[in-house]
Amino acid sequence: MPLELIQPSFRSELHARWSVVLDLLEIPWAYEPAAFTAADGHTFTPAFWLPRQRLWLDAETEAGLPEGWLDRWYRFAEACSETVYAEDDDVLRPPDWTPPTEVPEQWHGTALLALGPIPSYSPNCPGGRWHAHRHGGMLHVDDDPYQWVICPACGQPNAAAFGDPAELPCGCLDSDDDSRHAVDRLGDAYFAALVEPLSSTADVARIGGWPAGHRVYRTALADRRGTAEADQRCTRTCRSLTQVLRDEAPAGAWIEAGPGDTLCGNCPGFVCAACGERPAPADGAQCRVCDPVSLLTDDGARRRLNNLAAQLGRLFRQPLRVIHPQINRAMGVRQRGEADLEDLVVGINEAERWLADPSTLVIPAPVLREEEIAGLDLKEARVEIALRVGVLSKVVGEPIPFVQVRINDAVGAPTREDMDQDQARDALRQVQQWLNSPATYHRPVAEPVQEPPAAWAPGILPAPTETRPAAAAATCDLCADPVPQGTLLGRLPKQRTPQGFRLGWLCGHCLTDRRLKPRRRDLVLRIFHATFLGSGIRLNMYEAEALAAWLEETAGHSDADQPPACAPEVTGTIARLREVVAAEHGTMLSLDVAQAIVEQLRTVAAPASEQEVLDAVAQHFQEWSSGGPIAVGTRWSGRRDILLQTPRPTLLSARGGPFSL
């Protein structure tokens, strides 16, 4: 139910602060609901009526008591509790004795008087919480001091003699052995009452009809629609329209009951359906005296908002660090501490609306950049997917289980647990794309390619074990070329030897053409990973021809009859490559010439994509060779450690490896 901002008024500051205590303990109260007349004609108006506990609570300071007030309170306390003590001793009067104050049966209960300030919020205060009260608690007609206690069993607050939980009327405790009670909750209520901001008639516009005099106001929230409007338009002379017509009708005329019974005849509002004497928030509703409620203070509103945030977090499967900013944005504040009560009304109402209709809240998950996705491991990628599934379900209008299956199908995984690291990253990319463009979610998934293209040739590259269109823009895990959405991606089978790591998802060129139509980048990567593994550099006829042409170009010669101007080992390599090309065969180069070949290729400026790879290979070769030459058969684990711990990371150190190409 939507909350509304109201400003109840009180005769004194102490009354206003006690109302805060009652609100935080969630005790419904009515303020000055009735006045009672004593036999001598004096009228007594007690402060708070607590119908749930059937208690009357008054709060005064000894210094400010009018003459005779305490005597009138005792006479009222005796009358409302039907206690029949004599004025001069404790001798019981006869049962037919007439009380000094007339109190109707509906108002019978226990009367308590807090003769002093708000109790201390610290349970360790010398003398106890009630040390500032001369009687050690609230006065009662039997002279036993009463204190507020919260039952440790049922959690209900009430007043008990000497603050003993065993004396509580709920009867949850069989003995006084268990003296535990929620002291922290009481202390919080007392502290909040002490710091509650109040105002007076000097700086708050007076509501029409209030009697003249010093009034103290506090701002609070009411959980009833129409309460604020009823307080604002009321003239404090409530009479039903039916009663007004009866008063104005000629003698002997009779006005029957009807809809006018709950319409106010003196303002455009409603009167209480029970008493007909006070404003009501709606037609047929009761006033705050006939149906008292506790109000929400600033502290209580913040606690309620935190509880609602926790419920939203469980509903949307989101951490509170995601939920709280949504509520703050609804309130128009950057931080919760900036919100006043009016802002908190908006926040609570919005949070309750989201709980009632979750489709009205769309939580935008943070968009991860491609480099952030590429840096996620398998577990992290799964967590990021899980954070977005609930939001995606709301956006596309499908149940979460259906969305889970859709995500798995998009990357070709039977379940989330069956995804490998690359599939999990692709699934995250796909989810982000659907959140950015929900219409694409309902498009059919393209069928994966079942047969390899004709470009795959036996003995060159094995047929891929998995192929699929890229769910979102990605990059090739070998050459790092960008792969547009919808473009073919594939994975080669795992190597039968334990050497190296399995390649991830590759672009179409790396799947089919990197050995038939090798680019210069492909040649450099082949030299790098062969050296990384500590194996020979195997080249087929196409790769040998491409490498020979590139080396000759760097030497400034394209004529095979003229020796290139380069290192002797490179010159020998060019001659050997030309021989195998002429014979239409492949060859294997030794690792001792790999570094010389790379240095030779770097002598002439290359396009940016090739130069970046060349520079990275040269850097890592230098780092590896610092411990001696790289020999065939040496273990690659040490080189991998050096690669991953390089002080100057490159695109090759980011890709890892080694890969058997």
Side-chain angles (χ1 to χ4, degrees):
M1 183 180 295
L3 292 171
E4 294 188 356
L5 204 66
I6 64 171
Q7 281 191 322
S9 71
F10 305 88
R11 276 191 288 117
S12 68
E13 176 187 348
L14 189 57
H15 287 182
R17 299 202 182 281
W18 267 108
S19 73
V20 176
V21 174
L22 298 174
D23 286 336
L24 286 173
L25 295 180
E26 299 180 4
I27 298 175
W29 53 270
Y31 185 66
E32 297 184 339
F36 305 98
T37 303
D40 58 3
H42 285 93
T43 299
F44 183 78
T45 305
F48 295 97
W49 168 240
L50 316 180
R52 185 183 295 170
Q53 289 80 8
R54 298 208 65 80
L55 290 176
W56 286 101
L57 174 63
D58 255 299
E60 301 292 341
T61 58
E62 291 192 67
L65 283 178
E67 183 178 356
W69 186 94
L70 191 58
D71 178 62
R72 290 196 296 274
W73 178 84
Y74 268 110
R75 293 162 66 186
F76 163 75
E78 291 178 354
C80 71
S81 61
E82 298 181 317
T83 302
V84 286
Y85 291 113
E87 295 183 5
D88 56 347
D89 56 32
D90 291 343
V91 178
L92 191 67
R93 285 184 178 273
D96 59 351
W97 176 71
T98 303
T101 302
E102 295 293 335
V103 178
E105 185 176 355
Q106 71 183 89
W107 300 115
H108 282 184
T110 301
L112 300 174
L113 171 61
L115 200 56
I118 297 293
S120 171
Y121 57 86
S122 173
N124 301 319
C125 182
R129 291 190 187 276
W130 296 81
H131 69 281
H133 293 244
R134 180 157 52 92
H135 302 277
M138 296 176 286
L139 293 180
H140 184 260
V141 290
D142 62 6
D143 290 334
D144 289 337
Y146 272 60
Q147 298 178 7
W148 284 103
V149 185
I150 297 177
C151 177
C154 66
Q156 292 300 316
N158 212 320
F162 301 101
D164 185 358
E167 298 294 327
L168 287 171
C170 62
C172 294
L173 303 181
D174 297 329
S175 68
D176 58 1
D177 294 336
D178 191 350
S179 60
R180 296 174 294 108
H181 54 281
V183 293
D184 290 340
R185 186 175 164 197
L186 284 170
D188 291 345
Y190 296 148
F191 179 79
L194 291 172
V195 299
E196 178 76 8
L198 303 175
S199 56
S200 69
T201 50
D203 53 9
V204 174
R206 185 187 303 174
I207 300 175
W210 282 114
H214 180 77
R215 303 289 295 188
V216 178
Y217 293 83
R218 56 172 283 231
T219 304
L221 303 181
D223 215 350
R224 289 180 178 174
R225 183 188 294 274
T227 302
E229 188 177 3
D231 282 350
Q232 291 171 0
R233 64 193 176 194
C234 183
T235 61
R236 299 302 181 265
T237 56
C238 296
R239 284 195 307 164
S240 70
L241 183 59
T242 300
Q243 186 60 46
V244 171
L245 293 176
R246 286 173 182 168
D247 293 344
E248 296 177 354
W254 175 250
I255 306 297
E256 294 185 357
D261 291 348
T262 57
L263 294 176
C264 185
N266 294 323
C267 76
F270 304 96
V271 295
C272 175
C275 66
E277 300 175 354
R278 300 177 186 86
D283 186 17
Q286 295 183 9
C287 63
R288 295 210 308 271
V289 171
C290 295
D291 185 18
V293 295
S294 59
L295 305 178
L296 270 182
T297 64
D298 183 272
D299 183 74
R302 293 180 189 277
R303 294 183 185 185
R304 181 165 176 177
L305 193 54
N306 288 338
N307 290 335
L308 291 171
Q311 295 179 48
L312 287 168
R314 290 190 293 269
L315 176 64
F316 287 90
R317 300 181 182 180
Q318 295 284 355
L320 290 178
R321 60 181 172 81
V322 174
I323 298 296
H324 281 305
Q326 299 297 316
I327 298 176
N328 292 345
R329 276 193 286 271
M331 295 190 295
V333 298
R334 295 183 59 188
Q335 297 179 349
R336 189 66 48 81
E338 301 173 1
D340 56 20
L341 256 181
E342 193 170 355
D343 297 326
L344 294 174
V345 171
V346 176
I348 291 173
N349 290 340
E350 279 297 292
E352 290 180 340
R353 183 173 69 89
W354 293 335
L355 285 171
D357 184 5
S359 63
T360 58
L361 174 61
V362 176
I363 302 175
V367 178
L368 298 179
R369 301 186 302 274
E370 176 57 36
E371 55 267 28
E372 293 175 318
I373 295 177
L376 297 176
D377 60 24
L378 178 58
K379 182 179 179 180
E380 292 170 337
R382 287 176 177 172
V383 169
E384 292 295 336
I385 294 171
L387 287 175
R388 290 161 175 77
V389 167
V391 182
L392 182 59
S393 172
K394 304 288 187 303
V395 170
V396 302
E398 281 197 354
I400 288 179
F402 288 20
V403 174
Q404 300 277 30
V405 172
R406 184 78 165 82
I407 295 172
N408 296 341
D409 290 345
V411 296
T415 65
R416 187 74 51 78
E417 288 71 23
D418 293 320
M419 289 184 186
D420 58 26
Q421 181 170 282
D422 295 300
Q423 288 175 314
R425 291 172 179 171
D426 285 340
L428 178 56
R429 295 184 183 101
Q430 179 65 78
V431 169
Q432 289 201 149
Q433 182 202 340
W434 284 336
L435 287 171
N436 184 54
S437 180
T440 60
Y441 174 87
H442 298 285
R443 295 175 186 169
V445 178
E447 293 294 328
V449 179
Q450 300 296 329
E451 296 296 333
W456 281 312
I460 301 297
L461 285 174
T465 55
E466 304 171 67
T467 57
R468 62 174 177 79
T475 57
C476 175
D477 277 349
L478 178 59
C479 68
D481 272 0
V483 179
Q485 178 188 352
T487 306
L488 178 72
L489 286 173
R491 299 194 73 180
L492 296 175
K494 294 181 180 179
Q495 299 294 322
R496 294 183 179 179
T497 63
Q499 288 188 323
F501 290 81
R502 187 187 183 189
L503 285 165
W505 291 92
L506 306 182
C507 64
H509 171 81
C510 290
L511 279 176
T512 63
D513 293 339
R514 62 183 168 87
R515 301 209 66 188
L516 288 171
K517 303 174 183 177
R519 302 170 300 185
R520 292 183 172 182
R521 237 182 316 162
D522 301 328
L523 299 174
V524 177
L525 289 172
R526 191 161 187 80
I527 293 172
F528 172 75
H529 284 286
T531 306
F532 197 165
L533 282 168
S535 62
I537 305 169
R538 298 178 181 272
L539 301 176
N540 64 22
M541 177 183 65
Y542 308 106
E543 293 165 330
E545 183 177 16
L547 182 56
W550 193 4
L551 288 171
E552 290 170 349
E553 181 181 323
T554 61
H557 298 279
S558 59
D559 188 350
D561 294 333
Q562 298 183 19
C566 52
E569 58 266 37
V570 176
T571 303
T573 299
I574 295 175
R576 184 176 178 182
L577 293 174
R578 283 302 178 189
E579 289 176 2
V580 298
V581 169
E584 298 184 353
H585 290 301
T587 187
M588 178 177 287
L589 302 179
S590 61
L591 295 181
D592 55 359
V593 300
Q595 192 166 359
I597 290 175
V598 171
E599 291 301 328
Q600 179 63 36
L601 296 176
R602 295 179 68 213
T603 58
V604 176
S609 59
E610 297 173 5
Q611 192 65 46
E612 183 181 11
V613 177
L614 277 170
D615 292 343
V617 171
Q619 173 189 322
H620 295 309
F621 277 2
Q622 184 178 7
E623 293 170 346
W624 289 342
S625 61
S626 60
I630 304 171
V632 175
T634 55
R635 292 185 60 82
W636 50 261
S637 57
R639 290 188 285 276
R640 177 175 171 81
D641 291 341
I642 296 173
L643 178 74
L644 298 181
Q645 297 173 18
T646 177
R648 292 183 296 159
T650 67
L651 78 166
L652 295 179
S653 64
R655 295 287 171 181
F659 304 125
S660 180
L661 305 182

